[in-house]
Amino acid sequence: MLEEQRVEAAEPHEEKQEKSIISRRKLLASLGMAGVALASSAIANGTVMKAYADPGDNRTKVKDLMKMNIAEIITIVQLRAITEPAADAVYFVKDVGMEGYFYYDASDTASADNTGTVIVSGSGMRFKRIYSGEVNVRWFGAKGDGVADDRAAIQAAIDSLKALHTNRTAEGGGVVYMPKGRYRVTDTIYLDKFIKLRGDLARGGFYFDRSAQTASGTVIYADFADADKICIDASGFIASNNQRVEPKQVVWTSSIDNFEISSLHGVCVEDLVVFTDRTVYCGIRFCGTPNSKMINVHSKGFEVGILFNTGWGCRFEDLFINAKYHGFAAINSAIGCSVINPYIDTTEYTGSGTIPESRIPPYVYSWSEGSPDENPAGLKSRRVCIYNSYCDSITYTSPIAEGADIGLVAYNSTATLLGAHIEQLTLYAIFAVTSTIKSINMRVFLPNKPLVYSGANAKIDIEHVDGTFGSYFAFVSEWSFFNHVSGMLSDNTLFSPYVTYRNKAKNATVNDIYIDPDGGDDARLGFSGNNAVKTLNAAVNRIDKNRKNVMWIKGGSVAGAEQFHSRIEHAEVEIKSYGTGKGTLKSKLVGINNGLTVVNSRLTITGVDIDVEAGSNDGTYRSMLYVAGSCEINLAEAIVALNQSTALMQPLYGNSAFVTATYKNCDFRNPGGGGTLGGSVWNNDGKVVVSDASFGNTVAGSLAANLYEAPVFSVIQTTL
């Protein structure tokens, strides 16, 4: 076997040529492996250049090496036919794509022929390729022409580097390089520990021509007949049988069928495209791969673009995913994983309906379908850009998600979104059950559905979000405990957000919802929920641990209250103005007059003017507040405009209310006459009783000046 050695300095060229005292073996030893490769390459190409020995002052000319027969130009077929190789010979293989330098290793009688780095002759002799660094799939026969089946060649290149021990405890590893080309494969490519599969794909752009399905770089085309396959699979091995985790198996803990799964540390995929135009389950799977990476990878046409199942310390960066059903799915991923700059798009497939029952990924929604708290009917067959299930900690930085039904699904997970851009969705931006989701600086363009669906035991914290919403901010489902929705919303050109709770959403909290319409009566308000009491960790001031549920109305804008949506039930809510000037809360007339419904709650309105629009002629709905049960109403620094025979409050139809009220520095105006503070009773159905009403001096003056009608509720005690 050739080895790098140091020899004494060679004699000057003239003396060496005259005496011919240097042997071929000694010359090869002086050159070392790198020198042999250089010299052989020069000979094969017919060029004359200097080859340097070791040390550097030892040198000879290529024409002298040629005279000494240092290398023989040969083909792989001829190499396999050799029966009597010279122990110190070097063979240059000239097959296109497989070019390289081989030597005969007389000490090896066991290595298998892998066609690329080890060639075994018919007589059992082993020839080894001289190389350092990467192995090239072309050495193993891969064509990259889009026609030949290159799977076996690619797998052979990978297998040449992996550990050979059956117990898989030995450390293999290395880099497998795939030059530019279109590599057609008809079966799965399997990676192993410490293996990097590297293509040739420039970074910083999208490479798909959607009509021609081509890319300028390394493309792996999955031409699979089996729909349940994975194109590139890096998965651990089951200890009982040393078999890989099957494509449709999901690792939920660290084992399958009580057998431990071995970890594939240090797997890496870089700078390539995986593509299919067939029905194929998954583009790339990392399963049981701690401390692994995926960088500048494009996945197109698969049902699941990239599946990450169990791992920690993993990083996914610069992904472009165009998937049929799910873009990036993280299942049972552990600690400290990050996904940076993913672009996830299912737009191309949104017109093809929901996911067929037979093709729903196996990790989807383990809860019973039809539950409004965990899995509403029909949701399991929806497309999702980012899917998380049982992920302990994962961060998405600057994700772009578009074209699916749901942007992010989270079950039993903790996830952080930083600078997310989500658009063209048919349902929710975020859907979470028993999860904690933190979002900062999110931009959403979302039609028809809530921004957030907060299911059982979900905690949602949104510090800032803007965009265009076609519906309300959040839905908090039945039996949702400790739900937390907070944040600021702005530049909402359709409807400002409101939060609606199912009737049994206990202990839910809502922090600092900002309302920032672009002008006009296009803002809507609403809160409800049993025991939705004081909030914790308010977004605006995290030092104050006892903040009310606060809604902010942008100064100079109008928020329209709608009775059937704007329901404050068993909650403590404060409505304020922010920015320059005061915001206005208006009871919006839509057929019937609409306002805020307040049931067994405390409502404080500070620095927000109130405009009660005249309702229907029959007087059924002509109030800002519809009260029921035991309530506390506090107004401060407000101009209250009662138009015609309207009221500040009246009983919710068919209910009675007992109200404690304060009016501090409020100015009541009713130029048309006929308005009341306590509201009127329609057909004597229900009543409002106000106890301990406290009026500021400004209130007293405005009441006298406007000559209000006598209130129809009884005042037990009034303090002026």
Side-chain angles (χ1 to χ4, degrees):
M1 181 175 183
L2 291 178
E3 296 179 351
E4 293 191 23
Q5 300 179 22
R6 297 182 60 89
V7 297
E8 296 180 358
E11 296 178 52
H13 174 62
E14 294 80 6
E15 296 180 18
K16 178 182 63 179
Q17 190 173 24
E18 291 176 2
K19 298 180 181 179
S20 299
I21 61 174
I22 186 168
S23 70
R24 181 170 60 183
R25 179 184 293 275
K26 187 175 181 181
L27 179 59
L28 290 174
S30 71
L31 289 173
M33 293 297 182
V36 170
L38 178 63
S40 301
S41 176
I43 294 170
N45 293 327
T47 61
V48 176
M49 56 189 296
K50 289 188 176 181
Y52 293 86
D54 184 13
D57 58 354
N58 255 343
R59 60 185 63 187
T60 188
K61 294 182 179 179
V62 170
K63 63 181 181 179
D64 297 322
L65 300 177
M66 294 173 67
K67 292 178 181 179
M68 297 178 185
N69 284 329
I70 192 173
E72 180 178 348
I73 301 174
I74 200 169
T75 66
I76 290 290
V77 172
Q78 292 171 331
L79 192 63
R80 287 198 172 100
I82 292 177
T83 58
E84 296 182 2
D88 54 1
V90 175
Y91 302 92
F92 177 76
V93 170
K94 65 179 181 179
D95 300 71
V96 176
M98 304 176 72
E99 295 92 345
Y101 324 105
F102 288 78
Y103 68 94
Y104 169 51
D105 185 358
S107 65
D108 186 358
T109 60
S111 295
D113 189 327
N114 63 22
T115 73
T117 57
V118 179
I119 303 296
V120 180
S121 71
S123 56
M125 288 168 286
R126 270 69 182 171
F127 296 89
K128 305 290 184 64
R129 182 182 291 269
I130 301 171
Y131 76 97
S132 62
E134 305 174 333
V135 300
N136 191 319
V137 296
R138 299 290 179 93
W139 298 349
F140 298 81
K143 304 298 183 185
D145 58 8
V147 178
D149 184 355
D150 288 329
R151 189 270 173 186
I154 297 170
Q155 192 64 56
I158 295 169
D159 292 347
S160 72
L161 297 177
K162 73 180 185 181
L164 302 178
H165 294 67
T166 56
N167 62 8
R168 316 207 65 77
T169 58
E171 306 296 345
V175 180
V176 176
Y177 172 57
M178 300 181 67
K180 289 183 179 180
R182 183 182 175 94
Y183 297 84
R184 173 177 169 266
V185 297
T186 58
D187 205 349
T188 300
I189 298 168
Y190 293 101
L191 299 182
D192 212 316
K193 63 173 65 175
F194 301 112
I195 297 290
K196 174 191 286 189
L197 184 62
R198 183 179 75 85
D200 188 349
L201 188 69
R203 300 187 179 186
F206 303 151
Y207 295 89
F208 281 114
D209 177 337
R210 292 191 176 185
S211 59
Q213 306 294 8
T214 60
S216 57
T218 301
V219 180
I220 300 176
Y221 167 51
D223 188 11
F224 290 1
D226 187 345
D228 291 331
K229 288 281 188 176
I230 298 171
C231 182
I232 299 177
D233 191 11
S235 62
F237 291 80
I238 301 173
S240 62
N241 55 17
N242 204 36
Q243 298 298 311
R244 290 181 182 269
V245 178
E246 295 178 2
K248 288 298 186 77
Q249 282 183 305
V250 179
V251 178
W252 289 109
T253 58
S254 60
S255 63
I256 290 180
D257 299 329
N258 296 321
F259 292 109
E260 286 293 319
I261 304 300
S262 64
S263 296
L264 265 60
H265 290 265
V267 178
C268 185
V269 178
E270 289 187 6
D271 301 329
L272 55 80
V273 175
V274 290
F275 156 71
T276 190
D277 54 8
R278 308 285 296 274
T279 298
V280 182
Y281 169 52
C282 181
I284 303 176
R285 177 176 71 167
F286 277 13
C287 179
T289 52
N291 304 311
S292 296
K293 297 179 182 179
M294 190 180 298
I295 302 174
N296 192 35
V297 170
H298 298 212
S299 174
K300 178 176 173 62
F302 299 90
E303 294 177 341
V304 180
I306 293 174
L307 175 59
F308 175 38
N309 182 196
T310 308
W312 56 90
C314 294
R315 181 161 63 97
F316 301 83
E317 185 173 351
D318 295 336
L319 306 180
F320 177 75
I321 304 172
N322 182 264
K324 289 183 178 180
Y325 302 147
H326 291 173
F328 184 90
I331 315 300
N332 194 38
S333 303
I335 301 171
C337 297
S338 59
V339 185
I340 304 168
N341 300 330
Y343 187 104
I344 304 169
D345 179 16
T346 69
T347 305
E348 189 172 338
Y349 306 99
T350 53
S352 56
T354 56
I355 304 175
E357 185 72 25
S358 61
R359 303 306 303 165
I360 294 175
Y363 52 78
V364 171
Y365 309 123
S366 58
W367 291 262
S368 59
E369 190 175 20
S371 164
D373 307 306
E374 297 173 340
N375 188 19
L379 201 61
K380 66 185 298 182
S381 60
R382 296 292 187 168
R383 291 174 171 79
V384 178
C385 286
I386 300 173
Y387 191 102
N388 283 194
S389 185
Y390 286 91
C391 294
D392 294 337
S393 175
I394 189 164
T395 299
Y396 297 90
T397 302
S398 302
I400 299 176
E402 60 182 34
D405 295 306
I406 306 173
L408 168 71
V409 163
Y411 278 100
N412 288 279
S413 297
T414 300
T416 302
L417 299 177
L418 302 176
H421 182 104
I422 303 175
E423 64 176 296
Q424 300 182 49
L425 306 181
T426 61
L427 294 177
Y428 316 102
I430 297 174
F431 180 97
V433 173
T434 318
S435 298
T436 299
I437 306 299
K438 172 73 172 180
S439 175
I440 302 175
N441 296 332
M442 180 169 61
R443 187 166 179 82
V444 177
F445 296 91
L446 180 70
N448 302 325
K449 289 292 182 180
L451 174 74
V452 175
Y453 188 110
S454 183
N457 296 301
K459 299 179 182 179
I460 314 294
D461 188 355
I462 299 177
E463 286 200 1
H464 181 275
V465 61
D466 61 17
T468 302
F469 304 16
S471 185
Y472 51 93
F473 177 61
F475 174 83
V476 181
S477 74
E478 188 172 5
W479 304 117
S480 295
F481 294 94
F482 309 109
N483 286 279
H484 177 124
V485 180
S486 70
M488 179 169 66
L489 298 102
S490 62
D491 298 330
N492 182 0
T493 58
L494 293 180
F495 301 103
S496 281
Y498 60 86
V499 178
T500 181
Y501 290 81
R502 289 180 62 85
N503 198 35
K504 296 180 181 178
K506 297 181 179 179
N507 296 320
T509 64
V510 179
N511 289 356
D512 296 317
I513 304 301
Y514 283 70
I515 296 172
D516 186 3
D518 282 351
D521 298 334
D522 58 0
R524 301 191 295 187
L525 297 178
F527 278 92
S528 66
N530 273 343
N531 300 321
V533 290
K534 294 180 180 180
T535 61
L536 298 176
N537 301 320
V540 172
N541 184 355
R542 294 189 179 279
I543 298 175
D544 184 353
K545 300 300 183 181
N546 291 300
R547 294 287 296 269
K548 301 180 180 70
N549 300 296
V550 181
M551 301 186 77
W552 302 83
I553 302 175
K554 183 180 180 181
S557 65
V558 177
E562 298 193 356
Q563 179 190 1
F564 296 109
H565 299 294
S566 306
R567 186 178 181 89
I568 301 172
E569 182 175 0
H570 294 278
E572 182 175 0
V573 175
E574 183 170 5
I575 301 175
K576 296 181 177 182
S577 295
Y578 78 96
T580 304
K582 295 169 67 177
T584 299
L585 178 61
K586 185 174 184 177
S587 63
K588 190 172 179 59
L589 177 61
V590 183
I592 57 176
N593 211 40
N594 291 316
L596 291 174
T597 298
V598 183
V599 179
N600 292 311
S601 297
R602 176 184 298 170
L603 172 64
T604 301
I605 301 176
T606 304
V608 175
D609 292 337
I610 296 175
D611 184 1
V612 185
E613 193 171 81
S616 57
N617 292 330
D618 62 13
T620 305
Y621 297 97
R622 54 181 186 181
S623 179
M624 171 55 71
L625 305 176
Y626 297 88
V627 290
S630 178
C631 299
E632 181 179 324
I633 306 297
N634 302 299
L635 270 62
E637 311 296 337
I639 297 174
V640 181
L642 303 175
N643 298 287
Q644 301 179 22
S645 297
T646 58
L648 177 63
M649 73 179 89
Q650 71 177 61
L652 183 64
Y653 190 77
N655 290 267
S656 295
F658 188 92
V659 179
T660 299
T662 62
Y663 310 96
K664 183 178 180 181
N665 295 327
C666 292
D667 185 356
F668 287 82
R669 301 176 182 179
N670 181 223
T676 67
L677 288 182
S680 60
V681 178
W682 182 248
N683 290 335
N684 296 318
D685 189 358
K687 64 179 179 179
V688 177
V689 177
V690 176
S691 172
D692 297 323
S694 177
F695 296 87
N697 291 332
T698 304
V699 175
S702 64
L703 290 177
N706 286 292
L707 300 176
Y708 282 93
E709 296 177 355
V712 296
F713 58 84
S714 60
V715 178
I716 298 175
Q717 180 180 352
T718 299
T719 302
L720 293 177

